[in-house]
Amino acid sequence: MSNFDVIVTGAGPAGLAAACLLALDGRRVALVAKEQGDATDPRTVALMQPSIRLLMHLGLWPGEMKGATQPLNKLRLVDDTGSLFKAPVITFDPAELGEEAFGWNFPLGILIPALFARAHELGVIFTGADAASVHAASDSVTVTTTAGQQLAARVALAADGRNSMLREAAGIRTNRWSYDQTALATSFDHTGPHDGISTEYHKASGPFTTVPMPGNRSALVWMERPARAAELMQLSDREIAAEIQIGTHGELGLVSKVGPRRLFPMQGLVARDFARNRIILIGEAAHVVPPIGAQGLNMSLRDAAQASDLMEGEDDPGTPAIMAAYDAHRRRDVQPRQQVIDLMNRSLLSGFMVLETGRAAGLALLSQFGPLRRAVMQYGLAPSAGLPRVMRPPQSADVIEAEAAARG
């Protein structure tokens, strides 16, 4: 039996970030996973400013990754549903919030290895084997791996995905649902400049989102009906480039050099509890959302940062009080955000005029009313309150002195 302060299961970005944060705080951490996440995943992830500050805290930003990333200078929403009631194009500009960029777009094939290497530098013990069984007791969690290793800790972080073994061991139930959609992820070259602008075209089958990459290249997340998505996978590179050209209305110029394609069935999931029995859920073990508004991984990284915050300085990081505090913090952030994303997605798929009209009217209001637009942008970046410490903006010297004076 090997004893640790914390066990983390799953080596995707959220699990790796959690392991790094806890190791940086001086915890002895075991990372239970067969491999370091899927570095061949063709997707990119848009990390907003709070997540960038987390990477800065870990010593990963700015660094070698920066040259492979692209700043997100603006975000556009385009009503491309063909509906009778069409919303105006909305452009979200970070300058309205006093920021130069909303964040940066990262290839997962760059982000995962960088986090894994940092975890190794910080002394995280990597098992190289997945969890085979889990036992949650009143004072500890024991994990046995597929290689026969036995590990024990006062608390475990479940970052092992939507079919989490640890979540089941904690006795936490979920609400699950599926959408009549499949997302196609790929990337492509284009002759026109993207100017650092990410565009989310709202089509009748779901969002068609281009996200800028370095140079004249963009990532694409294309949500389609499953049968249509399967057809797209069978097209030649030349044919899929023509389809992307149509989808973007030629706004990026001539499309070519389409990268590897992969399909992802669209599902939703939310855990009924975010922590229980010394097991804390992070990432897709806790919540799954469609790729709308770049919310998924940014929420998952807030999970990791929040867990680290609550454990800081605690002799026993798995007490019922910490479980309850984590559940309350994450519930306030995740559930309202997930409901908004779900409603937006369903409004595109429904075909009901009432929903289409309501969505168009709401977007028109955003376009015309600056204070509301700024509030939505700020909420999209992070919760309005309770942001974990490592994700908060740096305070000015005046603020730090005032807080110190107030504490006496």
Side-chain angles (χ1 to χ4, degrees):
M1 180 76 73
S2 299
N3 292 302
F4 295 87
D5 297 319
V6 184
I7 295 170
V8 179
T9 60
L16 288 168
C20 289
L21 288 169
L22 293 164
L24 199 59
D25 284 344
R27 301 283 185 182
R28 180 168 159 77
V29 181
L31 183 63
V32 178
K34 185 176 181 180
E35 52 193 21
Q36 56 168 304
D38 186 1
T40 66
D41 194 319
R43 291 174 295 179
T44 63
V45 287
L47 296 186
M48 300 306 180
Q49 290 286 6
S51 296
I52 295 297
R53 288 192 283 270
L54 183 154
L55 294 181
M56 292 176 66
H57 179 74
L58 294 179
L60 293 173
W61 186 268
E64 294 180 2
M65 285 191 295
K66 192 168 184 180
T69 65
Q70 168 66 43
L72 302 174
N73 297 327
K74 292 181 182 179
L75 306 177
R76 294 171 68 229
L77 296 184
V78 178
D79 188 341
D80 201 17
T81 59
S83 172
L84 181 63
F85 299 96
K86 185 175 182 179
V89 174
I90 303 174
T91 300
F92 296 109
D93 189 337
E96 292 189 63
L97 302 177
E99 299 278 5
E100 292 184 8
F102 283 114
W104 275 262
N105 190 33
F106 287 70
L108 279 175
I110 298 294
L111 179 63
I112 290 174
L115 285 166
F116 189 81
R118 186 61 177 136
H120 179 73
E121 291 171 357
L122 292 169
V124 173
I125 304 301
F126 182 61
T127 64
D130 289 330
S133 64
V134 182
H135 175 68
S138 61
D139 61 349
S140 65
V141 178
T142 303
V143 175
T144 302
T145 74
T146 53
Q149 304 149 298
Q150 279 198 320
L151 307 93
R154 305 299 293 274
V155 67
L157 271 60
D160 49 347
R162 61 189 69 184
N163 298 316
S164 170
M165 179 183 292
L166 263 72
R167 186 184 63 220
E168 184 175 344
I172 297 174
R173 301 176 66 185
T174 63
N175 295 329
R176 293 175 179 253
W177 59 95
S178 296
Y179 299 95
D180 184 26
Q181 290 169 304
T182 297
L184 184 151
T186 189
S187 58
F188 60 95
D189 279 3
H190 41 83
T191 57
H194 50 53
D195 297 321
I197 299 173
S198 178
T199 301
E200 193 170 278
Y201 300 88
H202 288 178
K203 299 179 184 287
S205 54
F208 176 106
T209 305
T210 63
V211 191
M213 297 174 69
N216 279 15
R217 189 164 182 84
S218 291
L220 173 67
V221 179
W222 182 354
M223 291 168 65
E224 265 291 358
R225 304 290 184 176
R228 173 60 174 154
E231 291 175 0
L232 293 172
M233 288 294 287
Q234 301 304 314
L235 298 180
S236 68
D237 287 352
R238 183 184 295 272
E239 290 169 332
I240 193 70
E243 293 289 344
I244 295 170
Q245 183 95 31
I246 293 169
T248 59
H249 302 282
E251 292 181 345
L252 291 172
L254 183 64
V255 171
S256 64
K257 295 184 181 177
V258 178
R261 296 169 242 168
R262 192 178 297 186
L263 297 182
F264 300 88
M266 287 295 95
Q267 299 174 340
L269 176 149
V270 62
R272 297 185 187 180
D273 298 287
F274 292 98
R276 186 199 290 175
N277 296 335
R278 295 187 174 270
I279 292 176
I280 290 174
L281 308 185
I282 67 174
E284 291 197 344
H287 45 77
V288 176
V289 297
I292 296 176
Q295 294 299 303
L297 182 55
N298 287 282
M299 282 198 295
S300 297
L301 293 177
R302 289 199 293 276
D303 295 340
Q306 189 67 68
S308 176
D309 258 16
L310 292 170
M311 292 182 195
E312 186 175 5
E314 296 289 337
D315 291 334
D316 183 354
T319 63
I322 290 176
M323 299 294 106
Y326 179 85
D327 181 75
H329 277 288
R330 300 312 300 137
R331 190 178 297 274
R332 286 195 296 268
D333 181 16
V334 171
Q335 289 186 339
R337 202 172 295 269
Q338 190 169 42
Q339 289 164 3
V340 170
I341 294 169
D342 181 71
L343 179 61
M344 175 67 78
N345 195 33
R346 291 185 188 278
S347 73
L348 293 171
L349 295 172
S350 70
F352 293 136
M353 185 171 292
V354 172
L355 281 177
E356 289 181 350
T357 303
R359 176 180 50 79
L363 293 176
L365 184 61
L366 276 181
S367 175
Q368 298 169 9
F369 189 50
L372 178 61
R373 185 174 59 255
R374 287 188 287 275
V376 168
M377 283 192 286
Q378 188 63 60
Y379 185 71
L381 289 176
S384 56
L387 195 63
R389 176 180 54 83
V390 299
M391 293 182 145
R392 295 172 195 160
Q395 294 178 314
S396 69
D398 290 343
V399 171
I400 293 172
E401 290 177 5
E403 289 186 350
R407 289 194 299 268

